[in-house]
Amino acid sequence: FSSVWDRACELFYQIKGGTVDYGQTHSERHGHARYGRTFPGLYPEWDDNHPVHLVGHSMGGLTSRALVQMLVDRGAARGETTPLFSNIESEPMGSKCVKSVVTISTPHDGSPLVDEIDNVVPHIMEL
């Protein structure tokens, strides 16, 4: 299993191509390698002048949203000290490189099942 952050980094490199860089701060904080797989790129031309539409189902929606945020701030909002995607030669990669994000059955506010479990588990523990 991987985090939404990890998946967003992987999505970027799957589309653009290159070796996945999860960020130095993030990888140290979570105890995994900084670099991952290398992808040839589905659309290496991707940049602000050649934007994409992202469509994500379930966790893919969260991944797509995270990627857009990471493209805008290079991970700084989550405490990353090494700018993400800085090893990509064709700059700029910013908010204009994603034309739209469509999410289908995405748990934007979590899952209602967790709330139900929180309500039931304490009663079961009392038995």
Side-chain angles (χ1 to χ4, degrees):
F1 298 105
S2 61
S3 67
V4 172
W5 176 285
D6 293 348
R7 291 176 187 203
C9 290
E10 291 162 0
L11 176 59
F12 175 86
Y13 289 99
Q14 286 174 356
I15 297 170
K16 185 72 174 167
T19 299
V20 178
D21 179 357
Y22 298 107
Q24 182 177 346
T25 305
H26 174 81
S27 59
E28 288 174 357
R29 185 180 304 142
H30 296 282
H32 64 72
R34 177 174 175 178
Y35 299 100
R37 292 177 51 189
T38 299
F39 295 97
L42 298 169
Y43 187 46
E45 301 82 13
W46 180 36
D47 60 18
D48 282 354
N49 296 315
H50 302 92
V52 296
H53 297 273
L54 299 175
V55 179
H57 174 262
S58 193
M59 285 296 291
L62 297 178
T63 301
S64 297
R65 289 180 51 203
L67 175 57
V68 170
Q69 181 62 44
M70 292 162 74
L71 285 167
V72 171
D73 69 14
R74 299 289 200 246
R78 300 275 309 272
E80 185 54 52
T81 57
T82 56
L84 294 176
F85 319 129
S86 60
N87 60 338
I88 298 300
E89 295 174 12
S90 58
E91 295 288 339
M93 289 291 290
S95 59
K96 295 178 186 175
C97 67
V98 176
K99 203 126 174 115
S100 68
V101 176
V102 176
T103 63
I104 303 166
S105 297
T106 297
H108 297 289
D109 294 320
S111 170
L113 177 61
V114 172
D115 295 331
E116 292 304 314
I117 290 172
D118 284 345
N119 290 334
V120 172
V121 169
H123 299 295
I124 293 173
M125 298 302 286
E126 292 174 1
L127 296 176

